[in-house]
Amino acid sequence: MPRLCGRRYGVSKVLFVPYALFDYDGYTRKARNAFQNMGLELESIHEKEDPVEAVKEAQGIFIGGGNTFRLLKTLYDNNVIEPITERVLQSGLPYMGSSAGTNVATVSICTTNDMPIVFPPSFKALGLVPFNINPHYIDPEPGSIHMGETREERIKQYHEERTTPVLGLKEGSMLEVEGDKAVLRGKTGAKLFIRGQEPQVLEIGTDISHLLKSE
Amino acid sequence: MPRLCGRRYGVSKVLFVPYALFDYDGYTRKARNAFQNMGLELESIHEKEDPVEAVKEAQGIFIGGGNTFRLLKTLYDNNVIEPITERVLQSGLPYMGSSAGTNVATVSICTTNDMPIVFPPSFKALGLVPFNINPHYIDPEPGSIHMGETREERIKQYHEERTTPVLGLKEGSMLEVEGDKAVLRGKTGAKLFIRGQEPQVLEIGTDISHLLKSE
């Protein structure tokens, strides 16, 4: 995917955001190795003097996974929420996120699976798409006696409070968004939750571009 | 447990807090039936004109489960955080919580498993005990290929940020606190996470009163 992204968008260097994990240096080393193997240079935002400038100069941005609350709080602390949103939505900066980095790309982090280990100033996120994503979406094991809520029940609870659609992205899937087109890629598929409707199972290859038009 | 609680503390009527679920009336009906079967009257805080007065007059309080963020936000919205803390810690009001109702009894909701479906003004909770609890604690299934963090990894991430001890209470366990004594009850046990130490497996009957002395 990153190589594809590099080729398709003329990107040779990616700005990495390691804020979701505690050990920025270790995380950056791992990410740098992986990107170098794909022929892409990687710079981490935490090694740059001015994070806002780093975003302004980036050719492409990759936000990695970890804890979504820590990630969002650190994006706010470093004043890069608006600069990232502006560059992606207005100048088409290629954006890639995994796990927590996917959560923050959406309307809010209200459908993350993570523990609220730190208190961000808001749950409002980058809003690069007008819906929410639940990453690592998983259906309950048949016959489970665990009494905690299932993922589907949690998302239903969210819809008791809000109308934003939620895309449950299963392990091994990704959503590719380009302009006004959004298509499910990967191996496993997704489940789409619209308030007041039965959840829809979505196969790989499904075009969900209509969701980009929701408020 | 509620009957025991009623007998031991001279409680004949319990104040119920249904804020963690969306349907207060339905939740109250269920809880009322269960408590009546145990010989205890149940009044719900949402049926009372003044929630703060209701807390002041209560003989005992039971906060039920659901979504921890919704519960904590509604406790703040109704200005009952301080009154509950004061009555429990200063006048020994019997308090019982399950799931989300257990989370809000601790230092903070930072170790809840729930989705952040609404934004409370703070993650700080009632602070009835000087540590955090992770309810429905579960060890990973051996051989699982799910890539989301395990519960233990999530709690370790919390300890990258904070020093508060975390008690992982397994399904089917409870913590009984009376005065300066805290004992694990139930059927399954718990796992105790202290920052910088290996997690300790705790059997049913373990006395963890020393944790009541931590900050």
Short mmCIF file of all heavy atoms in Angstrom, two decimals, chain B residues 3 19 30 58 70 117 121 125 173 189:
data_model
loop_
_atom_site.label_atom_id
_atom_site.label_comp_id
_atom_site.label_asym_id
_atom_site.label_seq_id
_atom_site.Cartn_x
_atom_site.Cartn_y
_atom_site.Cartn_z
N ARG B 3 -28.99 -8.41 49.37
CA ARG B 3 -29.70 -8.77 50.59
C ARG B 3 -28.72 -8.70 51.77
O ARG B 3 -29.02 -8.14 52.83
CB ARG B 3 -30.26 -10.19 50.48
CG ARG B 3 -30.99 -10.67 51.73
CD ARG B 3 -31.34 -12.12 51.63
NE ARG B 3 -32.43 -12.37 50.70
CZ ARG B 3 -33.73 -12.23 51.00
NH1 ARG B 3 -34.08 -11.84 52.20
NH2 ARG B 3 -34.64 -12.48 50.10
N TYR B 19 -28.05 5.78 34.96
CA TYR B 19 -27.52 6.70 33.95
C TYR B 19 -26.66 6.03 32.87
O TYR B 19 -26.44 6.63 31.81
CB TYR B 19 -26.66 7.78 34.62
CG TYR B 19 -27.38 8.75 35.52
CD1 TYR B 19 -26.66 9.46 36.50
CD2 TYR B 19 -28.74 9.01 35.39
CE1 TYR B 19 -27.29 10.38 37.32
CE2 TYR B 19 -29.37 9.93 36.22
CZ TYR B 19 -28.64 10.62 37.19
OH TYR B 19 -29.26 11.53 38.00
N LYS B 30 -36.29 -3.44 35.51
CA LYS B 30 -35.53 -4.68 35.71
C LYS B 30 -34.86 -4.71 37.08
O LYS B 30 -34.92 -5.71 37.80
CB LYS B 30 -34.41 -4.79 34.65
CG LYS B 30 -34.86 -5.38 33.36
CD LYS B 30 -33.61 -5.70 32.50
CE LYS B 30 -34.01 -6.07 31.09
NZ LYS B 30 -32.86 -6.11 30.19
N ALA B 58 -30.49 9.14 50.70
CA ALA B 58 -30.41 7.69 50.42
C ALA B 58 -29.90 6.90 51.62
O ALA B 58 -29.08 7.37 52.41
CB ALA B 58 -29.50 7.46 49.22
N ARG B 70 -21.07 7.65 29.36
CA ARG B 70 -22.42 8.22 29.52
C ARG B 70 -22.76 8.36 31.01
O ARG B 70 -23.31 9.37 31.44
CB ARG B 70 -23.45 7.32 28.82
CG ARG B 70 -24.88 7.76 29.01
CD ARG B 70 -25.79 7.24 27.91
NE ARG B 70 -25.67 5.81 27.73
CZ ARG B 70 -26.10 5.16 26.64
NH1 ARG B 70 -26.68 5.82 25.67
NH2 ARG B 70 -25.97 3.86 26.55
N ILE B 117 -18.61 7.14 23.83
CA ILE B 117 -19.73 7.60 22.98
C ILE B 117 -20.16 9.03 23.28
O ILE B 117 -20.80 9.66 22.45
CB ILE B 117 -20.94 6.63 23.07
CG1 ILE B 117 -21.46 6.54 24.52
CG2 ILE B 117 -20.56 5.25 22.55
CD1 ILE B 117 -22.75 5.75 24.66
N PRO B 121 -16.90 15.93 31.14
CA PRO B 121 -16.02 17.08 31.39
C PRO B 121 -14.66 16.67 31.96
O PRO B 121 -13.75 17.50 32.02
CB PRO B 121 -16.80 17.93 32.40
CG PRO B 121 -17.80 17.01 33.00
CD PRO B 121 -18.11 15.97 31.98
N ALA B 125 -13.25 10.33 38.56
CA ALA B 125 -14.50 9.71 39.01
C ALA B 125 -14.70 9.94 40.51
O ALA B 125 -14.16 10.90 41.07
CB ALA B 125 -14.48 8.23 38.65
N SER B 173 -16.36 -11.86 39.81
CA SER B 173 -15.70 -11.46 41.05
C SER B 173 -16.21 -10.11 41.51
O SER B 173 -16.76 -9.34 40.73
CB SER B 173 -14.19 -11.33 40.86
OG SER B 173 -13.66 -12.59 40.60
N GLY B 189 -11.57 -14.42 40.72
CA GLY B 189 -10.31 -13.79 41.09
C GLY B 189 -10.00 -12.56 40.27
O GLY B 189 -10.85 -12.03 39.55
#
